[in-house]
Structures are given as structure tokens and as C-alpha cells.
Amino acid sequence: MNQEYIELRGARENNLQNVSLRLPKRKITIFTGVSGSGKSSIVFDTIATEAQRLLNENFSMFVRNFLPRYSQPQADAIENLSMAIVVDQQRLSGGSHSTMGTITDIYSVLRLLFSRVGKPFVGYSNAFSFNDPQGMCPNCNGIGRKIGVNLDLFLDKSKSLNEGAILYPDYDVEKWDWTICTQSGLFDNDKKLSDYSEEEMNLLLYSEPYKVKTSIAGKPFNLTFDGIIEKFTRKYITRDLKTLSERTQRVVEPYLTTGRCTLCGGSRLSQAALSCKINGYNIAELAAMEAVELIEVIRAIETPEAAPLVATLIERLQHLIDIGLEYLSLDRPTDTLSGGESQRVKIVKHLSSSLVDVMYVFDEPSIGLHPRDVHRMNELLQKLRDKGNTVLVVEHDPDVIKVADHIVDVGPHAGLNGGTIVYEGSYAGLRDAGTLTAQYLNRSLPLKVDVRAGKGALPIRNVSVNNLQNVSVDIPKGVLTVVTGVAGSGKSSLINQAFLTHHGDAIVIDQAAVGANRRSNPATYTGILDDVRKAFAKANKVSASLFSFNSKGACENCQGLGVIYTDLGPLGGAKTPCEICEGKRFKEEVLAYLLDGKSISDVLAMSVEQALDYFTIKKVTRKLKAMQDVGLGYLTLGQPLNTLSGGECQRIKLASELHKKGTIYVMDEPTTGLHMSDISLLLAIMNRLVDAGNSVIVIEHNLDVIRNADWIIDLGPEGGSKGGRIIFEGTPSQILEAEQSLTGRYLRGVEAVEPA
């Protein structure tokens, strides 16, 4: 059979410089290159977007109104595409009612099983759904937790209503809710709450809506008074708090207490559903088991009529185990999964598909994986290929790159200095290609021997969060500590939950999104633009708001976007430069104001390196230097954040934190999205922070980072219930001798080779 190819000609999305490629179909093609070189622009913004757009064109105009809209990518031609399934790094959300079982549909099959063979019969599959009124616990509405109000934080009983006894902000003195309360005539407003009778306190807290007549500004007025806790409960507790705005959640959460529902015991289900059993287990008990334990229980079900459902469950659970998620349970909330876990959970949904000649597109599938587990991911990619599918992968991990049938190396550098193809071919050919990727494939950073000594300790004592098994450990102060271990071993629980609970002042650089949109850019995100606008305003004696394309200075034709977006309905949209401002975003009169010979538009068009030469404002140059230090000197100040790669977003977040004064820095997998050549740069930043007197704690799997720590804390030995213990504490040299450490085993297998 002749080899077929995906043909890409003249691609120009983002920084791509007229890229043309022939990608073999039904093979694994891996795209690599420095962060920001253009890999994602080729794979996601061009190939995958066009495949999804063409698929949607098969539906009627009416149906397409309800589908995601994809604009036609900037390219001369994209041919021979298959249907695309995109598996990205976007974390799974879904609120309080979404679990690992519901998102993978495994729990749906389990519900069907119980409705058919469970005893006693309690109803059809909806009777086992905590998202359905038939199956949910009536006490907690299927959430599994009963939320209450912390009265100690809500009230100051040493004060009267007039003195501000109700501490919740809505009841601040003179606010409307406080006015209703004090004007109701139900209370002595000068009486301290500690002197209230039980009847008065119940009326204040739990009264049903109560109509009262009063006068405001001398005029009669009818008011409805609710008990303050009753009203708070109705507004926030009886609904899913996660559906409210982040601002509201931040205000409300300190006043809440959460405990396991006393009726369902946290299972979320009705008593009828919990009474139905198979082989002595109810559905909640099975959902709480780790996948590796659950599969054995399912295998023991021998009821003949259940055989097809049992076979389906075994197949899907085996996929979870094969992909390295054997430690997860079906009742695990999806919003507690890491980015890497979320990506692998998405993959599970597609593994049992009988479709062939599909194009699977992956975004760094090795994220969140310990070196021990990377081979599992490789086997998965190979299985998908061997079924007759095309697999496109954006990846930095050398162990994943090795399994490629075809490699595309994008570069030579990032941003405007990238966007070209520097190598195409086999893995063996890449090693001799002389590209930046090739240079770093042939080397690894040397093991750190001259380690720093701790200057005291940051203790963690008797922690049993999630799977941690009464863990106690000392994190040394003033050094670079790396916390490692296989996925699910308890690293994030130890640091992000246990440690940060007692060190809330720590500067945290995690994998959360930077809030990227087309109106935010490096200058706005890092705060540089605020100081630049003030400098322009002072030099020209005008308002600073004139120099914002989100405010008074915006071009009225494009509202400061620089482009005109035309909604073409189900055909997607078209983007054209604004004909009035010519893409500069500002009104013409604003561009006439100069600072040292440059307009505000000129400044936003500068790269970080150019801006460093131009500015003398200390607050600005300090932030620019931080961006240059993290390897983002090529970015323009006005580049929209939604055009940056994952690695660039991670580093811009790091740059925005570097100028802050802190004593503890916590980084959660900072190598995410970074090319091998960037690891040395990242380590230099970490070491600079430590040399400045900070304690730096890094959760990481990357071997080069681990080998260059001052102190290593290794958790395991496995994930889930088989993890949660400290396997090793010590220096890089010492972990090489630790037989029980999987991390040590993989470090021993990596020979330090100096760069050519």
C-alpha cells in the first residue's frame, strides 16, 4: 500500500513563515522545538483547526449554529486530512457533580449494571445517579458534602447590630441588608448579641421571610426580613457555589464549613440506591475503589445476563490501568485532577473506539508522568497508530520523541526567530542534525555534587491528606528542594495542600491558566503597561487612560482590538486589520503623544530586549529583565497572550513573580511546555532565588531538575493507596544509592554527557 501524506503548504498562522510539510498518515509524527517556535501553530492552530472546521461543514447550517466555530487557518493548502480528535492539556472541570466515573462514562455502565442485576431492584439506571433527583441524596443534593455556616466568623457576639455584630460584608453598617435588619423593628439594635435570648437569636439567624412595615426617609416602606443564615444558605449553600463568579466564591468561602453528609456518608446517593448490592457491594463502595482494585471485583461478577456490561467495564478499567491511572477511583472529582491526569482521562474515552483512520492530536502527553510511566504513554500512541490512525504529538520528552516514525523539528528559536522547519526525518537522523533539539538530545546536565546545606527547617507533621499516610518531613530552608515520585504518589497533596496551608504567604507558581485573551498581553499581565501609561501621561500632561486600548485611547472603529472580527455564523469568523488605526489599536490623536520619540503603539511593538534598551524607569526595567531572564526577550510587549504557547505562558507567570520579595517559592512542574534547552535557564533562575535567601520547593519529574537539587524528597512507592509515604530524603548523590527509589533507579540510567 502506497504511503499517503497530509499536505500542508504555505502555513502562516502566528509566527509561521510560509511553512510547507508532508506528514505521513497512519504513523506517529512528533513535533519538537523550543517553546514558542511554532509547533502548536502548525499542529493545533492549522492542521487540527482545519480538520475540525471541515468536519463541521458536513452538518446543516442549523446544526452548525450549535457547534464550536473554527475560522479557516492562514495557509495556501491543507489536504488529505482525517477526522481530528484533539487531546489537550485543558484541565477537566464540571463542578461538584462531575467525577472521574462520569467524565469517562464508566460510572454510566456501572449504573446500568446495578439497575439490571443489583438486589434488591430499586429502579433503572437513573436511580443510581447522584445527578438525578431519583438517585441523589435528598440531604446534600448529590454533592456528598453538607455545607454550613461558621457562626464564629459570621458573628461578633460582643457587639450589637449597630456596632457591626454581623461580620459578613453584605451586613456592614449602613449597607442595605443591615438596614433591613435594623429597620425591621424585631431587635434591640443596641443590645449585644451575647445578651440575646435563644428566641431572639433564632429569629435573627433562621427566621423565614417576614414582612415588616417601616419608614425610610420619612416615607412608609414594606420590607421583607429573612434570618441572616437562612438568607445566606438560600443564596449560596443550596446551589453549587462553583457556578458563581470567582469573586463571589472568594468572598463567601471563608464563612463556610464543609463536612461529609451525615445521611449518605459522602456517597452522594439516596438510601434506596445504597441498599442495592452486587456480591455484597453497593455502587458507592465500588466507585470508591481504586481502578486496579475495582477491576478484580468486576471480574468476579458471573451473572450471565451481565456479561456484556462486565466485559465493557473490564475493558475501560484496563485502559485506565494501562495509561497509568490505576490509583484513581470513579468517585474522584474531576476538578481535583492535575493537567496530566486530565489529559490521560480524556484519552481513555477514545481507546475503545472502533473508528480507524482518525487523526489523534496530543499536546505533551508526558506531562505529569514520572520517567517510569512514560513507556505506558508510548505504548498507547503505538496502539492508536497500529489500529490505522494518524498520531500527531507536540512533545519535548526525549523518551517520547524516540518512538516517532517521523519527526518535525521547528525553530531555530522562538517567536519572530522561529516559525521555520529546521529538520524532518527519523530519530537517528535528528541526533546528527545539529539543531538545538539535537544538541540537547545528546547531553544531560551533570549531577550536582556541591550541594547547599539547609539553614533550618520547614516542618510538615503527621499529614494524612488524601493518600498521605501520616507523613512527617522537614523541608530544609534556604536550598533548592525537589519533591518527586510517580503520578499519584502524594506530591501535590504534601505541598499544595498540607504545606501551603501553613505557609499562605509563599509565592506559588502553578499550572493554572494566565487568563489569556486577545486584550491581555505581556505588558498588561506583568504590570509594565501601568507604569508606561503613567510615564506617557506625565510627559504629555494628559490623562493616563488615553494610553489604554481598553479605555479612552481605544480606536473607536475596532474598540482597541486592532482587527475587525466579522461573525459569519456557522461559517466561523473572519479577521481583518482595522482600516482606521491600521492595527495600532489607538486613536490617531493618542499616537501623536510621544515619550522619548516613541508613541504608545511603537512601545507595544517593541520586543522585551528592545524595550530594555529604551526604558530607564526602574520599575519597568526590573520587570523587563525578569522576562528576559526567563528566556522571553523575543516577545513583543503587545503580543496577545492567547497567541502564546503553554511554555511561554508558564514563563511569563514566573517572570511576573520574580520581582516580588518572598522567602518561600513553590513551583508545580515548572518544566511543563519547556524545551530541553530551556531547563538550564530555569535552573539558573531557581538558583538565583535561592542565592537571594529564598527557599525554593519544586514539584517535578524532569530528571535534569532532580539531579540539580540540593535536597530531594521522593514519595511513593506507587500511586494512590500504595503511595503516600516518604521513600527517600537526601542529596542527588545519595538517591543514586537508594535501591527502593524508582527516581534513583532512573537517575542511575542517565549518563551525564557534556554538550558538544
Side-chain angles (χ1 to χ4, degrees), residues 398-658:
D399 290 327
V400 180
I401 296 172
K402 282 177 188 174
V403 302
D405 300 305
H406 186 71
I407 294 170
V408 177
D409 195 6
V410 188
H413 299 289
L416 296 174
N417 300 318
T420 62
I421 307 303
V422 293
Y423 173 79
E424 277 187 88
S426 66
Y427 178 77
L430 175 63
R431 295 194 69 135
D432 298 324
T435 67
L436 204 56
T437 302
Q439 292 172 34
Y440 281 83
L441 276 175
N442 296 323
R443 62 161 282 188
S444 63
L445 296 178
L447 188 82
K448 182 187 269 188
V449 179
D450 187 15
V451 298
R452 302 177 182 91
K455 300 168 185 174
L458 300 164
I460 302 175
R461 292 289 176 264
N462 307 114
V463 177
S464 298
V465 176
N466 298 329
N467 70 327
L468 294 178
Q469 300 183 29
N470 199 33
V471 166
S472 295
V473 66
D474 287 327
I475 297 177
K477 284 184 180 179
V479 304
L480 173 57
T481 299
V482 173
V483 181
T484 189
V486 298
S489 60
K491 304 180 298 297
S492 294
S493 298
L494 181 69
I495 302 302
N496 293 336
Q497 291 181 258
F499 179 77
L500 289 179
T501 299
H502 300 287
H503 296 279
D505 58 339
I507 294 172
V508 180
I509 300 165
D510 57 19
Q511 296 179 42
V514 297
N517 61 61
R518 60 194 182 209
R519 286 194 176 272
S520 57
N521 54 47
T524 59
Y525 186 80
T526 57
I528 288 171
L529 194 57
D530 291 337
D531 297 308
V532 171
R533 287 168 53 231
K534 289 175 187 174
F536 267 91
K538 185 177 179 182
N540 294 281
K541 298 182 172 56
V542 291
S543 169
S545 60
L546 277 176
F547 303 97
S548 170
F549 51 72
N550 294 323
S551 187
K552 291 181 181 178
C555 167
E556 292 172 354
N557 188 52
C558 64
Q559 282 77 52
L561 288 174
V563 293
I564 301 294
Y565 288 90
T566 306
D567 186 357
L568 300 178
L571 296 177
K575 182 175 71 173
T576 54
C578 174
E579 59 188 24
I580 303 299
C581 69
E582 298 178 334
K584 293 180 179 178
R585 295 183 156 204
F586 294 93
K587 294 176 182 175
E588 189 175 350
E589 58 265 34
V590 173
L591 297 177
Y593 296 119
L594 303 180
L595 177 68
D596 295 332
K598 301 284 186 184
S599 71
I600 185 69
S601 179
D602 294 333
V603 168
L604 290 175
M606 290 180 180
S607 69
V608 170
E609 289 174 348
Q610 290 169 334
L612 267 171
D613 292 333
Y614 169 74
F615 282 109
T616 56
I617 307 165
K618 282 187 178 179
K619 287 173 74 174
V620 172
T621 55
R622 187 171 70 243
K623 293 173 184 177
L624 289 169
K625 185 69 167 64
M627 290 177 67
Q628 187 182 51
D629 287 348
V630 298
L632 296 177
Y634 59 88
L635 283 186
T636 59
L637 299 185
Q639 183 174 341
L641 290 189
N642 63 349
T643 66
L644 301 189
S645 69
E648 287 171 325
C649 286
Q650 181 109 354
R651 282 185 287 165
I652 204 167
K653 183 187 293 187
L654 181 59
S656 69
E657 304 288 357
L658 281 181

Side-chain angles (χ1 to χ4, degrees), residues 6 21-32 43 47 360 362 381 385 389-395 401 403-409 424-425:
I6 295 170
L21 286 168
R22 294 181 82 227
L23 306 175
K25 298 191 75 169
R26 303 173 195 91
K27 301 288 185 184
I28 298 173
T29 298
I30 289 182
F31 292 77
T32 189
V43 178
I47 296 173
Y360 286 91
F362 293 94
L381 299 177
R385 175 200 62 192
N389 299 303
T390 302
V391 181
L392 306 182
V393 188
V394 173
E395 187 55 82
I401 296 172
V403 302
D405 300 305
H406 186 71
I407 294 170
V408 177
D409 195 6
E424 277 187 88

Side-chain angles (χ1 to χ4, degrees), residues 378-389:
N378 289 342
E379 288 170 1
L380 163 69
L381 299 177
Q382 290 164 331
K383 278 181 188 174
L384 290 172
R385 175 200 62 192
D386 294 343
K387 284 173 67 175
N389 299 303

Side-chain angles (χ1 to χ4, degrees), residues 83-88 104 315-316 319 343-355 358 360-362 380 384 387 389:
M83 182 187 81
I85 293 176
V86 177
V87 186
D88 57 22
T104 58
E315 180 189 25
R316 295 189 182 185
H319 288 324
Q343 191 173 28
R344 282 176 280 156
V345 165
K346 292 176 196 172
I347 295 169
V348 170
K349 295 187 69 171
H350 304 296
L351 288 183
S352 54
S353 172
S354 296
L355 289 172
V358 171
Y360 286 91
V361 183
F362 293 94
L380 163 69
L384 290 172
K387 284 173 67 175
N389 299 303

Side-chain angles (χ1 to χ4, degrees), residues 56-69:
N56 286 1
E57 281 192 351
N58 291 290
F59 297 98
S60 69
M61 283 282 193
F62 175 76
V63 171
R64 282 150 71 182
N65 275 317
F66 302 97
L67 296 174
R69 297 177 184 180

